[in-house]
Amino acid sequence: MAKMYLLNSLFLNAEDLQTLQDSFLPLLKGVLYYTIPLTLISFFAGLLLAVITALFRISGVKLLSGIARVYVSIIRGTPLLVQLFIVFYGFGNLGVEFLKFSPFVGALIALSLNTGAYASEIIRASILSIDKGQWEAAESIGMSYFQSLKRVILPQATRVSIPPLSNSFIGLVKETSLASTILVAEMFRKAQEIVATTYQPLLIYMEAAAIYWVICFILSLIQDQIEAHLNRYIK
Amino acid sequence: MLSMKNISKTFGSLEVLKDISINVDQGKVVVVIGPSGSGKTTLLRCLNVLEQPDSGAVTIDNQTIDFSQKVTKPAIRELRKQTGMVFQNYNLFPHLTVIENIMEGPVTVQKQEKSTARETAVRLLEKVGLGDKADVYPYQLSGGQQQRVGIARAMAIDPKVMLFDEPTSALDPELIGEVLQVMKDLAKEGMTMVVVTHEMKFAKEVADEVVFMDGGYIVERGAPEEVFERPTQERTKKFLNLLQH
Ligand SMILES: Nc1ncnc2c1ncn2[C@@H]1O[C@H](COP(=O)(O)OP(=O)(O)OP(=O)(O)O)[C@@H](O)[C@H]1O
Ligand SMILES: [Mg+2]
């Protein structure tokens, strides 16, 4: 009997197809309104934070590199889920109007801080991987530190950092699902809501998984394009 | 034109340059030779302050930096604008095409119009015999070609002095000649040059003065025929012997 049920549940009947169809639009809304904006905004905000943090780290100024170290250490040493709860529930409960974030903004802040810390290590390693001779060649034609960085080092470091940064980006797409826990109506929360009314957890969560997979697959195709472009000057 | 007065440089406890003084007149070529680790590279790097000496002074054209006083970054950059540096392993910018490599200094540092910088770059490329390679990336060139681009890039900032650090020692033997030829042409046109190299033939032909360094000291100096044919110091003799074998 149990076996029969399992078998049955692996094949889609007409009712299942209807459920899938009905749930697709709400899930897609979750993707378009929340999952994608959350990913994009927190990735680019995180990237900006990461570049600044990486530059602090390698600045040789004790105070700056100290700040960068502490930030990276705290973020990397604590779970993202806990960070989301602190930013949303924790700060929201302080009674300070300014720190009462909407779920979306709370998720943006936590995800950006998180991405910034991890990506800063990627960027730092990429900058350090560029041959010292490149700095010297840049300086020898009269460039300042920031000119060398902007014109010579960062363009090359970008190439090095694309594969690991793509990893972070794709990871971030999936991590946005954690925002469901602080009431952001992104795709996974939508899926949970649908399950609550349809009682079809396997079907709906598989559908959600498939949508995540499609997004990540498209992203990996874009990554290939970017890599091909940046590798044009490499043998 | 260019002078280095009483320059000393230590790395940690290692004294790499010990009270070095060198004078190079306008249009003259000085060749520096010496065993590995004797401080030749450090000497060149002190000349354009890629390495900051502990004491002494460097003068180029009319600008002096006295390293016993506080040295400012703008002063260092000003001095660097007077010098072009050619590296042993070229250090071309791999993400830029050949012509972009050459235009980078004039455009980014000297704020020249791109069109002006491009004209100069094309002229320099023709001069080093690479007029047809403007739009390729460095990896598409042979070592000798890359080094000639390196020379063109250094020349593009219109320096008063050119510094060469073993410009041919990373090259296959058959590619050395083309680079030395470009350097000879430069010398003929009256460029002031300081060249670290062990190419004796080049030194004999082009150098006005040969400086032999060992252990951070200048052991012997003089016209090439004197230093090469009639060295007075034991260490010079030994080193020249080694070079010939
Ligand atoms: N940045 C540095 N930090 C510590 N030691 C250094 C540094 N640069 C050079 N040295 C040391 O200084 C000494 C002189 O080095 P330098 O590169 O000037 O020698 P060189 O004459 O150019 O040798 P080579 O013929 O091998 O190029 C060497 O012992 C080297 O190890
Ligand atoms: Mg050297």
Side-chain angles (χ1 to χ4, degrees):
Chain A
M1 184 61 200
K3 210 172 164 192
M4 277 283 289
Y5 180 75
L6 186 66
L7 264 182
N8 252 338
S9 66
L10 285 178
F11 294 96
L12 302 176
N13 56 33
E15 192 193 335
D16 293 342
L17 287 176
Q18 191 58 48
T19 312
L20 280 181
Q21 206 178 355
D22 291 346
S23 57
F24 185 69
L25 212 58
L27 291 182
L28 192 64
K29 265 192 181 162
V31 168
L32 293 179
Y33 291 173
Y34 292 101
T35 304
I36 289 178
L38 261 185
T39 308
L40 284 178
I41 300 174
S42 40
F43 185 74
F44 286 104
L47 206 55
L48 186 67
L49 206 54
V51 173
I52 295 169
T53 307
L55 293 181
F56 274 24
R57 255 315 274 284
I58 61 172
S59 67
V61 182
K62 276 221 176 81
L63 177 70
L64 298 183
S65 68
I67 292 173
R69 268 172 203 278
V70 169
Y71 161 54
V72 172
S73 170
I74 289 176
I75 297 293
R76 288 211 302 187
T78 55
L80 174 57
L81 188 58
V82 175
Q83 294 161 15
L84 278 164
F85 273 45
I86 290 176
V87 170
F88 182 66
Y89 296 115
F91 291 175
N93 203 31
L94 277 176
V96 185
E97 210 47 44
F98 164 74
L99 289 176
K100 272 191 188 135
F101 305 117
S102 69
F104 184 73
V105 172
L108 270 186
I109 292 173
L111 288 170
S112 304
L113 286 172
N114 195 269
T115 304
Y118 282 95
S120 79
E121 289 292 288
I122 294 173
I123 289 169
R124 184 174 71 96
S126 310
I127 292 175
L128 294 180
S129 78
I130 304 303
D131 186 62
K132 246 185 83 219
Q134 291 292 309
W135 284 101
E136 293 181 347
E139 284 174 27
S140 79
I141 56 171
M143 286 194 191
S144 66
Y145 178 81
F146 281 104
Q147 284 174 332
S148 310
L149 200 62
K150 180 170 158 232
R151 300 286 308 170
V152 175
I153 305 300
L154 286 182
Q156 294 180 63
T158 303
R159 189 189 70 80
V160 181
S161 65
I162 286 298
L165 281 181
S166 303
N167 242 352
S168 301
F169 192 81
I170 288 173
L172 185 57
V173 172
K174 295 172 292 179
E175 278 166 352
T176 57
S177 63
L178 286 176
S180 63
T181 60
I182 61 167
L183 317 176
V184 178
E186 48 69 58
M187 191 221 323
F188 189 61
R189 187 169 180 84
K190 280 276 163 57
Q192 287 172 304
E193 287 168 7
I194 297 167
V195 168
T197 57
T198 61
Y199 308 108
Q200 290 262 46
L202 183 62
L203 196 64
I204 299 298
Y205 291 145
M206 287 294 263
E207 187 181 13
I211 295 175
Y212 280 119
W213 179 79
V214 169
I215 297 173
C216 293
F217 181 73
I218 294 172
L219 286 175
S220 67
L221 292 182
I222 297 173
Q223 174 189 353
D224 291 346
Q225 295 294 314
I226 296 175
E227 278 181 28
H229 175 69
L230 289 175
N231 283 341
R232 70 194 180 283
Y233 59 82
I234 297 295
K235 210 174 306 193
Chain B
M1 175 71 198
L2 169 145
S3 80
M4 212 174 189
K5 266 206 202 92
N6 309 108
I7 290 287
S8 297
K9 174 72 189 170
T10 52
F11 290 112
S13 59
L14 182 68
E15 259 193 290
V16 178
L17 297 180
K18 299 164 186 164
D19 201 26
I20 299 274
S21 296
I22 284 182
N23 248 308
V24 190
D25 289 336
Q26 167 92 50
K28 298 292 182 195
V29 176
V30 172
V31 165
V32 181
I33 60 174
S36 181
S38 58
K40 308 178 298 292
T41 296
T42 310
L43 175 106
L44 279 191
R45 291 162 57 88
C46 284
L47 277 173
N48 70 352
V49 207
L50 278 179
E51 215 68 77
Q52 191 155 333
D54 304 326
S55 59
V58 169
T59 304
I60 296 176
D61 210 20
N62 290 314
Q63 196 206 344
T64 299
I65 295 188
D66 182 351
F67 292 99
S68 49
Q69 280 155 19
K70 185 144 175 51
V71 182
T72 65
K73 280 187 184 155
I76 292 175
R77 279 208 292 282
E78 224 23 70
L79 193 81
R80 278 194 193 132
K81 283 180 194 163
Q82 321 289 335
T83 63
M85 179 103 171
V86 176
F87 300 87
Q88 183 171 359
N89 43 8
Y90 336 128
N91 289 342
L92 296 181
F93 305 131
H95 60 301
L96 302 179
T97 62
V98 163
I99 196 148
E100 288 168 345
N101 262 274
I102 301 172
M103 290 164 61
E104 189 59 33
V107 171
T108 302
V109 180
Q110 302 176 340
K111 311 289 179 208
Q112 283 181 22
E113 288 291 334
K114 273 208 169 147
S115 53
T116 322
R118 183 171 291 273
E119 273 168 36
T120 316
V122 167
R123 198 168 43 70
L124 284 167
L125 266 180
E126 266 155 20
K127 196 159 146 183
V128 300
L130 294 171
D132 54 337
K133 298 289 185 190
D135 295 317
V136 305
Y137 284 102
Y139 82 88
Q140 293 164 301
L141 299 177
S142 73
Q145 292 172 328
Q146 291 194 45
Q147 192 57 295
R148 287 187 274 154
V149 175
I151 295 173
R153 178 179 67 180
M155 290 290 298
I157 61 172
D158 198 18
K160 303 272 168 33
V161 182
M162 284 285 284
L163 310 174
F164 296 83
D165 189 7
E166 305 203 37
T168 59
S169 63
L171 295 176
D172 291 338
E174 73 270 21
L175 300 177
I176 291 177
E178 63 191 49
V179 173
L180 292 181
Q181 189 54 50
V182 168
M183 292 167 63
K184 280 180 205 164
D185 294 345
L186 276 185
K188 247 185 244 144
E189 287 167 22
M191 178 51 87
T192 310
M193 296 164 46
V194 180
V195 186
V196 175
T197 184
H198 292 138
E199 294 294 330
M200 305 278 272
K201 229 180 117 247
F202 173 83
K204 280 177 191 159
E205 213 174 305
V206 180
D208 298 288
E209 185 182 21
V210 171
V211 171
F212 172 64
M213 285 184 72
D214 194 8
Y217 290 105
I218 293 181
V219 175
E220 187 156 2
R221 66 206 309 170
E225 48 284 1
E226 281 170 40
V227 176
F228 291 145
E229 314 300 337
R230 297 178 292 280
T232 58
Q233 302 293 314
E234 240 359 87
R235 277 195 282 178
T236 319
K237 288 178 195 166
K238 251 197 207 149
F239 178 73
L240 290 173
N241 257 329
L242 281 178
L243 269 195
Q244 266 133 34
H245 294 301

